Amino acid sequence: MAPVGPRSGDAIFANVERNAELFTLTYGATVRQLLTDLEEVEEVNKQLDQMGYNIGIRLIDEFLAKSNVTRCVDFRETAEVIAKVGFKMFLGVTATVSNWDADGTCCSIILEDNPLVDFVELPDTCQGLYYCNILSGVIRGALEMVSMKTEVTWIRDVLRGDDAYELQVKLLKQVPEEYPYKDDE
Amino acid sequence: PLSKGKQEVSLSAFAFLFSELVQYNQTQVDNIAELERRLEDAGYAVGARVLELLCHRDKGNRRETRLLGILSFVHSTVWKVLFGKVADSLEKGTEHEDEYMISEKELLVNRFISIPKDMGTFNCGAFVAGIVRGVLDSAGFPAVVTAHFVPVEGQQRPRTTILIKFAEEQKYP
């Protein structure tokens, strides 16, 4: 049988169960709860990133299972897959990749649409908040599960007055896989 | 920005997020009742906004002022927007005049969740109960709303019933 190629993000998204506002509003409620509990905006950013990371390390399994994506040859391909397949499959939006550095280890993922921020306006008291910080955690966590240590930072944020959402993803190192796998540890 | 309600995300995105919400809240409490209360609070915030949103978008800035009107609004319109379907049933309590129940065979928030034995009666439906309370309260119908598992004969999984008990002044609509 011929190997099955990777599926497009659109095809996967067309086949999964979907949901609109519940997600957005639940995310808003989560952020609000964190702001009440932790008081410091900086702490909220950290907690959102941690939650994203937890999601990322689980989400990668579903992603690989549904997308038929095989090992990416380089970081460039990885970034394209995240933007075209990953974002589409889970959030229903497509992102673009740009601003590569010379050695291909750092790029920007740019989102025009962002379902997390419908109905959201940042009040003056939350100016330091990265409202969508959960996304950077998700990317970091998911990539860590495929042996890539990355650093993800926000460059632009519409809620802060920019014209798009821009996440900078920087490859720190490829963690060599250890053989043999020890399943029972 | 007020969306037209066309943007959709995958259900897994919600499931992942909700699971993190529950786990985070678990780190903040030391008993089940407190955990349910916190989930209900989170839900309440969602409910208050859903009412506002739907009144603007679907009802031409009008909201229900009759008890049965608002109940059927929750059971059909709200449910449809949040969970993609109308709730399975809306019933009036037989023992108490001021009680109503919305039942769902497989409530979305409970679908991916099994409760560990040591967590007893914990029910993620508390989040949905909070949503319902948020809608009712913001519409001027204060109520106590709780979520319960009700075993169904011949079914492995229980259904979830959201019990609505209206505050004193709404007793006889």
Side-chain angles (χ1 to χ4, degrees):
Chain A
M1 204 172 83
V4 189
R7 300 172 64 196
S8 80
D10 288 293
I12 305 167
F13 191 65
N15 278 313
V16 295
E17 274 189 85
R18 278 161 296 167
N19 183 286
E21 264 114 21
L22 181 62
F23 172 77
T24 306
L25 292 169
T26 303
Y27 186 67
T30 310
V31 175
R32 213 170 310 110
Q33 210 164 37
L34 293 179
L35 283 167
T36 316
D37 290 349
L38 305 173
E39 290 166 5
E40 295 291 325
V41 169
E42 226 6 81
E43 289 300 309
V44 176
N45 287 339
K46 256 190 241 165
Q47 180 64 34
L48 284 173
D49 181 74
Q50 178 61 43
M51 291 166 104
Y53 178 81
N54 298 345
I55 292 176
I57 58 181
R58 294 171 58 203
L59 170 142
I60 188 75
D61 285 334
E62 180 175 338
F63 174 76
L64 294 173
K66 284 192 179 155
S67 65
N68 289 331
V69 167
T70 46
R71 180 173 296 272
C72 292
V73 290
D74 58 8
F75 190 56
R76 278 176 187 274
E77 191 186 340
T78 309
E80 285 295 327
V81 167
I82 295 174
K84 300 275 151 24
V85 188
F87 270 97
K88 185 78 202 181
M89 176 171 157
F90 289 102
L91 295 181
V93 294
T94 321
T96 47
V97 183
S98 65
N99 302 344
W100 281 101
D101 67 347
D103 47 358
T105 55
C106 181
C107 67
S108 286
I109 294 181
I110 298 166
L111 281 174
E112 313 237 317
D113 276 336
N114 183 348
L116 290 173
V117 301
D118 280 345
F119 324 122
V120 177
E121 272 172 33
L122 277 194
D124 289 340
T125 48
C126 299
Q127 289 308 317
L129 179 71
Y130 285 103
Y131 185 84
C132 307
N133 218 26
I134 200 161
L135 290 182
S136 50
V138 171
I139 295 179
R140 189 167 60 85
L143 287 181
E144 199 167 304
M145 289 295 110
V146 288
S147 319
M148 291 179 196
K149 279 260 184 219
T150 50
E151 189 180 87
V152 186
T153 37
W154 288 98
I155 305 288
R156 286 187 286 165
D157 185 338
V158 176
L159 291 180
R160 295 177 162 208
D162 300 322
D163 50 355
Y165 297 88
E166 179 173 348
L167 273 165
Q168 189 180 62
V169 186
K170 194 180 196 166
L171 180 66
L172 300 178
K173 64 170 180 181
Q174 296 253 14
V175 189
E177 286 183 55
E178 286 175 30
Y179 295 98
Y181 296 116
K182 288 179 201 143
D183 275 345
D184 47 12
E185 267 176 29
Chain B
L2 184 69
S3 101
K4 293 177 192 69
K6 282 190 185 131
Q7 188 133 37
E8 290 183 313
V9 302
S10 89
L11 193 56
S12 341
F14 172 76
F16 281 125
L17 174 64
F18 185 67
S19 143
E20 279 304 312
L21 178 66
V22 176
Q23 288 178 60
Y24 163 74
N25 275 307
Q26 243 176 316
T27 64
Q28 302 288 305
V29 302
D30 46 23
N31 63 61
I32 306 288
E34 186 69 2
L35 177 57
E36 285 188 339
R37 194 194 59 74
R38 287 188 57 108
L39 282 182
E40 198 195 316
D41 275 357
Y44 184 92
V46 173
R49 281 156 186 86
V50 165
L51 176 72
E52 206 177 324
L53 171 67
L54 296 184
C55 287
H56 279 303
R57 199 167 59 193
D58 296 353
K59 296 181 69 78
N61 279 335
R62 288 164 180 277
R63 70 167 168 75
E64 294 291 342
T65 50
R66 292 167 311 120
L67 189 91
L68 284 178
I70 193 80
L71 277 172
S72 88
F73 171 75
V74 170
H75 159 270
S76 46
T77 315
V78 171
W79 233 256
K80 205 143 195 242
V81 165
L82 295 182
F83 308 117
K85 66 185 277 295
V86 172
D88 289 343
S89 73
L90 168 65
E91 290 162 85
K92 189 176 196 317
T94 46
E95 283 168 36
H96 301 278
E97 277 291 304
D98 56 353
E99 287 185 356
Y100 291 83
M101 290 162 298
I102 293 178
S103 286
E104 189 70 58
K105 199 167 138 226
E106 188 73 273
L107 192 66
L108 186 69
V109 295
N110 280 330
R111 201 153 108 195
F112 305 104
I113 295 192
S114 20
I115 309 293
K117 282 223 163 54
D118 60 332
M119 287 183 68
T121 56
F122 172 67
N123 192 329
C124 285
F127 180 72
V128 178
I131 295 180
V132 174
R133 188 167 72 88
V135 172
L136 294 176
D137 208 16
S138 311
F141 297 93
V144 177
V145 186
T146 45
H148 306 271
F149 283 125
V150 180
V152 184
E153 217 169 310
Q155 296 275 340
Q156 210 175 15
R157 287 173 68 84
R159 66 188 159 96
T160 308
T161 293
I162 308 288
L163 180 68
I164 304 161
K165 191 173 174 61
F166 285 103
E168 202 67 19
E169 68 262 35
Q170 329 279 350
K171 222 166 189 172
Y172 302 104

